Amino acid sequence: MQTTTRVAIIGGGVVGCSVLYHLTKLGWADVMLLERSELTSGSTWHAAGGFHTLNGDTNMAALQGYTIKLYRELEKLTGLSCGLHHVGAVTLADNQDRFDMLVAERAKHRYMGLETTIIGPEEIAKIAPVTNVEGVIGGLYDPLDGHLDPSGTTHAYAKAARMGGATIETNCKVSETNQRPDGTWNVVTDKGTIHAEHVVNAAGLWAREVGAMANIYFPLLPMEHQYLITEEVPEIAAIADAGGEHPGVTDLSGESYLRQESRGLCIGFYEQRCRPWAVNGTPWNFGQELLPDDFDKIEDSIAFAYKRFPALERSGIKSVIHGPFTFAPDGNPLVGPVPGMRNYWSACAVMAGFSQGGGVGLSLAQWMVEGEPERDVFAMDCARFGKWVTSGYTIPKVIENYQRRFSVTFPNEELPAARGVRKTPMYETFNQMGAVWGADFGLEVPNYFAKGNEPGFETPSFRRSNAWSAIAREVNAVRSSVGINEVHNFSKFLITGQNSRSWLDRIMAGRIPEPGRLALNPMLSHKGRLIGDFTVSCISEEKFQLTASYASQNFHHRWFTQNIDEGVHIENISDRRNGFQIAGPRAVEVLQECTDFKVDSLKFLDLIEITVGSTDCLVQRVSYTGDQGFEIYCDVMAQQSLWNTLWTAGQPYGMTPFGMRAMMSLRLDRFFGSWMSEFSPDYTAAETGLDRFISFKKNADFIGRPVAEAERASPPERQLVVFEVDALEADIVSYEPVFINDEVMGYCTSGGFSHHSKKSIAFALVPRASVTDDLTVEIEILGQRRKAKRILEQLL
Ligand SMILES: Cc1cc2nc3c(=O)[nH]c(=O)nc-3n(C[C@H](O)[C@H](O)[C@H](O)COP(=O)(O)OP(=O)(O)OC[C@H]3O[C@@H](n4cnc5c(N)ncnc54)[C@H](O)[C@@H]3O)c2cc1C
């Protein structure tokens, strides 16, 4: 057996083989896959082989589209059949919320170039005749959907990889992964030890065990899953005899997916009475075997399916497939460089290997070979979970995700499982004040505060929610007097050491401020993509605080450590430093009540370390709400004390606590973009206007500079523009298509209702060539095209 390799991929399921193939495709031929048994020996061999593009995350949907289109290419390349059946599929909606969701998905597909259509019950009955359309409002038809042969497809990936120079070692179990001091790996197998520069964990059902070999906890859990194959169904046999094939049907309310299998049907369920499998670890002796049939747990689902697909009731069951496959807490894969590790990569928790495996393989291979994936893959980045994730979090979240697989996902929805795992010291105080909570990177954050008769639960909706007036009240309080909230939604990093400034000059694209000042700073990748929008605060020449998105702290920390310099020390202090933001016309007076320092001597973007009440704080004159305001940071142990000081001082001024919903409304007036909406690795600084914070004057070769310079010389084709939308009862969320002269020319990055200006606002990327001061467009919201007019003047 070969004993050295550039990459050792552990696991020969569809995902490992896809990663192997894509590495060779991008030019790395010295790559090796190690499989403890034969290829497909985990979840892969018993998959139903269905594939589809539908995914709530647009980038995931695009990667699913890539995966599906890849199969023909693989067949051509290898001469092997993937057993493709591009029969199309329809997803059914039998209530308004489900229908709204499908219509919103269809809208996103417009600019993605996916040819989906919304069809009515009659059309559904025509193209999918085994469906009883009683009660069905409509459906989303996707001609790309279909099914394939799982084993044939995996072997096609494997053959394509071998053709590119890769080696596959089967019956070769990895028992240890030991890192050498130089960051490379000794991969110990029962056939000997392999020295690999990189390790990829693609061990599927055993990803947890393989991760533990390197002391890594992967938040994933296998779930049992069952599908049934019927005997011949006369209606299907008739279609087959006529040379046709019945399309797939996903019934959201029945939580089932159905398709033709030979002359019968295949139907699988995401049942509510679901069960995790091998919670404490996948046995090594689990082979190509199935779990015992279990009709009890799918009894209700079957009863429902009999009504939706009456032919099922008349046909006998030929076989039952019941097997395990893995899920992460949010159902998306865990992909990328594992934070805190060198040369260790994850390709785990891929719950839909035949929809997603190609995209996962492509993205990971790009990351390894080119340094970054071509698009924003945060939705599947393993850095989206922090060290705080334990099995106590993973298990209930995975169960919740399985049960909600076919549920409607609302933009304002907060999911109930595994809540309260992380709280700031303000939790009880805010709870008593009526906080209605959301979760951000596991942390409880107030969305708004319910006063009097205001609702203590925000109804999930695509339309304006029942929290509307509570949010309006909070916005009004900030704009007219003073509001207070925590700065928990920021990550905080402390940068110290003699080379801090020069390091920041290289890592950040903007100007690094002098002591006592702060500056907004885009952070760019080598390809010039936006990978952060930071506030850089210079406390002293060798001490800086960086703040950015709380949820992206692992993502950013990983980048910092990958690009560290000598003489720089980086600490993630996000959970050790917290504090408050006070904002509004009375904010200066409130803060003045709490300190001897002359508060109004602080200019915009100044900072100072002073004592507020009895607490030592870092005070910054800046506010994301767009008002006069301050961010006041302190040690978390002193946070309650700081609260008492500020809250007491604020009472005569009518100080009001406000939550994230009000904050996201307030930012609209100033046209402030937000991270992962306007600012994400999908975009460059020049596309989103953040290039105004790039310092081209600075004498530093900052990462991404060549791309930024090139865009300065020749501006990119897209431009971020702000619109006032003639919206009715629903506002912009994201990815709604923008029509110019009846053609889809762009899409929204975010938006919402500005309670201050009483306008519905959209941020959208449109072709630069089309941008005029009075540009008028149409934006599709819940299936309706609404007029939108560009606005140039901020609304404050
Ligand atoms: C009943 C059922 C129906 C499904 N239907 C569909 C469907 O219709 N469409 C769809 O897209 N997905 C479906 N899936 C999910 C799909 O099976 C998985 O997404 C996919 O198989 C995951 O592939 P993988 O390569 O990540 O993992 P696995 O298939 O589990 O592969 C992991 C491999 O790693 C090997 N390995 C583990 N540890 C070691 C080690 N220490 N040394 C060497 N090798 C090791 C294993 O032997 C195994 O071959 C279904 C799953 C089930 C259970």
Side-chain angles (χ1 to χ4, degrees):
M1 184 181 69
Q2 191 181 319
T3 54
T4 60
T5 183
R6 191 166 196 178
V7 183
I9 297 171
I10 306 170
V14 63
V15 174
C17 291
S18 169
V19 174
L20 190 73
Y21 163 63
H22 281 94
L23 285 172
T24 62
K25 193 175 177 183
L26 296 189
W28 282 15
D30 179 18
V31 292
M32 198 171 181
L33 184 146
L34 310 170
E35 166 53 50
R36 69 186 180 111
S37 175
E38 297 298 333
L39 296 182
T40 79
S41 293
S43 299
T44 296
W45 73 273
H46 53 53
F51 54 79
H52 53 89
T53 49
L54 200 64
N55 190 302
D57 182 273
T58 309
N59 278 323
M60 290 298 300
L63 286 173
Q64 293 183 194
Y66 164 80
T67 303
I68 294 169
K69 288 176 183 160
L70 182 66
Y71 294 132
R72 290 265 181 246
E73 194 182 312
L74 273 182
E75 288 187 328
K76 222 162 127 194
L77 184 68
T78 62
L80 296 182
S81 167
C82 296
L84 285 177
H85 294 253
H86 270 294
V87 290
V90 61
T91 302
L92 309 178
D94 64 358
N95 69 27
Q96 193 57 45
D97 283 339
R98 291 195 181 102
F99 192 65
D100 284 350
M101 180 175 82
L102 297 182
V103 169
E105 286 304 312
R106 165 62 196 133
K108 290 180 194 172
H109 295 167
R110 284 191 206 282
Y111 74 85
M112 291 170 68
L114 294 173
E115 299 298 325
T116 53
T117 40
I118 294 288
I119 55 178
E122 277 176 26
E123 178 86 11
I124 294 169
K126 209 158 92 196
I127 63 165
V130 298
T131 316
N132 169 9
V133 292
E134 201 185 319
V136 171
I137 302 177
L140 181 74
Y141 178 71
D142 186 349
L144 262 191
D145 282 22
H147 56 100
L148 47 62
D149 165 20
S151 173
T153 302
T154 308
H155 283 279
Y157 274 125
K159 181 169 175 191
R162 283 197 189 98
M163 288 165 69
T167 310
I168 296 179
E169 202 68 48
T170 53
N171 297 304
C172 179
K173 182 185 162 204
V174 173
S175 52
E176 289 176 36
T177 51
N178 303 319
Q179 193 154 34
R180 293 185 178 194
D182 67 355
T184 63
W185 293 88
N186 285 337
V187 180
V188 182
T189 79
D190 46 13
K191 289 185 177 176
T193 297
I194 298 155
H195 179 209
E197 191 181 332
H198 300 272
V199 164
V200 176
N201 181 346
L205 281 179
W206 294 267
R208 292 171 299 173
E209 287 69 30
V210 168
M213 292 174 194
N215 284 325
I216 305 167
Y217 171 68
F218 281 98
L220 56 86
L221 180 71
M223 295 292 290
E224 297 180 357
H225 185 64
Q226 201 165 213
Y227 65 89
L228 319 174
I229 295 172
T230 70
E231 305 280 7
E232 180 166 312
V233 172
E235 293 91 325
I236 296 294
I239 293 172
D241 288 340
E245 191 164 352
H246 195 279
V249 184
T250 300
D251 181 14
L252 296 180
S253 56
E255 296 168 327
S256 70
Y257 57 89
L258 168 134
R259 65 168 169 83
Q260 177 173 339
E261 172 70 33
S262 185
R263 295 168 72 79
L265 287 167
C266 161
I267 185 164
F269 304 100
Y270 281 88
E271 68 282 1
Q272 293 303 307
R273 277 192 267 164
C274 60
R275 250 199 324 259
W277 179 78
V279 174
N280 296 319
T282 302
W284 285 111
N285 62 0
F286 187 75
Q288 287 216 353
E289 59 198 276
L290 291 172
L291 308 175
D293 302 352
D294 184 349
F295 288 101
D296 285 351
K297 66 174 182 164
I298 56 171
E299 197 182 350
D300 298 344
S301 309
I302 291 179
F304 197 98
Y306 282 167
K307 286 191 211 129
R308 183 71 81 211
F309 310 109
L312 281 175
E313 198 168 3
R314 300 191 294 270
S315 51
I317 291 170
K318 189 161 81 182
S319 54
V320 180
I321 310 289
H322 192 198
F325 64 137
T326 56
F327 289 72
D330 58 4
N332 277 342
L334 296 168
V335 180
V338 174
M341 304 293 294
R342 264 177 84 189
N343 299 343
Y344 194 103
W345 304 79
S346 172
C348 307
V350 184
M351 60 75 54
F354 297 95
S355 296
Q356 300 173 333
V360 166
L362 174 73
S363 303
L364 193 69
Q366 287 174 336
W367 223 325
M368 296 178 78
V369 175
E370 298 168 5
E372 61 192 276
E374 72 186 33
R375 61 176 72 239
D376 169 23
V377 293
F378 190 71
M380 63 177 185
D381 188 338
C382 50
R384 71 189 185 280
F385 295 106
K387 281 222 175 307
W388 48 270
V389 171
T390 63
S391 57
Y393 176 88
T394 303
I395 295 168
K397 282 310 266 186
V398 167
I399 292 170
E400 176 186 66
N401 187 272
Y402 185 100
Q403 290 171 326
R404 290 181 45 85
R405 173 101 180 105
F406 288 145
S407 300
V408 177
T409 307
F410 296 97
N412 64 338
E413 190 161 19
E414 298 292 346
L415 301 178
R419 291 298 296 271
V421 292
R422 308 179 75 234
K423 297 170 179 172
T424 77
M426 291 308 299
Y427 183 82
E428 288 308 331
T429 308
F430 282 169
N431 222 14
Q432 279 166 22
M433 296 174 86
V436 180
W437 298 97
D440 182 18
F441 199 59
L443 183 71
E444 294 296 316
V445 296
N447 282 338
Y448 67 95
F449 292 82
K451 275 184 96 171
N453 290 333
E454 290 167 354
F457 172 75
E458 184 181 14
T459 318
S461 175
F462 290 100
R463 294 175 166 74
R464 291 173 184 164
S465 82
N466 58 341
W468 173 264
S469 37
I471 299 165
R473 175 185 52 72
E474 290 179 6
V475 164
N476 186 42
V478 174
R479 288 284 190 251
S480 61
S481 175
V482 57
I484 183 164
N485 76 351
E486 270 182 297
V487 284
H488 49 25
N489 56 311
F490 294 138
S491 63
K492 294 119 195 152
F493 293 92
L494 192 62
I495 312 296
T496 50
Q498 58 188 16
N499 293 335
S500 300
R501 180 175 288 276
S502 60
W503 179 74
L504 285 166
D505 259 329
R506 187 170 67 79
I507 289 288
M508 300 288 166
R511 193 177 46 78
I512 304 306
E514 297 305 312
R517 295 285 290 165
L518 59 92
L520 301 180
N521 254 281
M523 185 163 77
L524 307 181
S525 72
H526 291 282
K527 290 183 182 171
R529 299 193 160 267
L530 271 174
I531 52 171
D533 68 329
F534 277 85
T535 300
V536 176
S537 306
C538 182
I539 300 166
S540 67
E541 208 31 63
E542 295 189 6
K543 189 175 176 191
F544 293 82
Q545 176 176 284
L546 310 185
T547 48
S549 146
Y550 186 79
S552 297
Q553 58 183 272
N554 247 357
F555 173 82
H556 287 141
H557 200 193
R558 182 178 62 196
W559 179 256
F560 291 159
T561 45
Q562 283 169 345
N563 291 283
I564 187 82
D565 280 348
E566 288 280 316
V568 181
H569 184 64
I570 301 164
E571 259 183 293
N572 180 356
I573 53 167
S574 305
D575 294 327
R576 300 204 327 254
R577 182 170 289 194
N578 202 345
F580 301 94
Q581 169 183 191
I582 59 171
R586 313 302 296 269
V588 172
E589 293 159 86
V590 171
L591 186 56
Q592 192 60 76
E593 302 267 351
C594 313
T595 174
D596 294 336
F597 176 77
K598 235 176 136 322
V599 170
D600 60 7
S601 68
L602 270 187
K603 295 188 299 297
F604 182 54
L605 305 185
D606 275 354
L607 60 90
I608 188 146
E609 287 181 311
I610 52 172
T611 304
V612 178
S614 57
T615 309
D616 284 341
C617 297
L618 173 72
V619 176
Q620 306 194 147
R621 179 126 188 198
V622 67
S623 169
Y624 189 57
T625 68
D627 297 89
Q628 275 198 349
F630 303 91
E631 289 169 4
I632 308 166
Y633 295 91
C634 67
D635 189 303
V636 281
M637 300 300 278
Q639 198 182 350
Q640 188 78 49
S641 164
L642 179 61
W643 165 261
N644 292 341
T645 302
L646 293 169
W647 184 243
T648 307
Q651 288 319 292
Y653 301 91
M655 182 181 257
T656 300
F658 68 101
M660 292 305 294
R661 298 272 192 265
M663 181 120 123
M664 293 311 273
S665 172
L666 288 157
R667 60 128 192 159
L668 298 171
D669 299 329
R670 285 272 200 206
F671 302 174
F672 289 159
S674 77
W675 180 242
M676 294 318 275
S677 295
E678 288 65 47
F679 312 138
S680 89
D682 275 338
Y683 311 123
T684 63
E687 282 176 320
T688 57
L690 274 194
D691 54 339
R692 67 186 186 280
F693 296 111
I694 294 183
S695 174
F696 290 103
K697 276 196 289 195
K698 76 177 177 181
N699 186 19
D701 194 14
F702 60 84
I703 295 174
R705 181 159 195 151
V707 180
E709 296 275 11
E711 288 202 322
R712 196 178 176 211
S714 166
E717 284 175 12
R718 300 188 290 190
Q719 183 179 343
L720 190 71
V721 171
V722 185
F723 292 98
E724 180 188 345
V725 190
D726 175 21
L728 284 177
E729 16 102 83
D731 300 299
I732 298 298
V733 180
S734 60
Y735 295 112
E736 293 83 354
V738 176
F739 294 77
I740 301 178
N741 297 330
D742 237 16
E743 230 187 290
V744 177
M745 301 290 280
Y747 60 93
C748 298
T749 49
S750 77
F753 191 78
S754 156
H755 288 276
H756 173 67
S757 63
K758 311 232 173 334
K759 292 181 189 335
S760 186
I761 302 298
F763 292 9
L765 278 166
V766 294
R768 192 171 292 269
S770 68
V771 178
T772 54
D773 282 359
D774 57 355
L775 177 65
T776 302
V777 301
E778 287 182 313
I779 301 180
E780 183 177 327
I781 304 179
L782 295 182
Q784 282 188 16
R785 288 209 213 164
R786 309 297 311 168
K787 242 202 177 83
K789 192 171 174 341
R790 184 176 184 206
I791 42 174
L792 295 162
E793 295 293 318
Q794 294 186 355
L795 303 167
L796 198 61

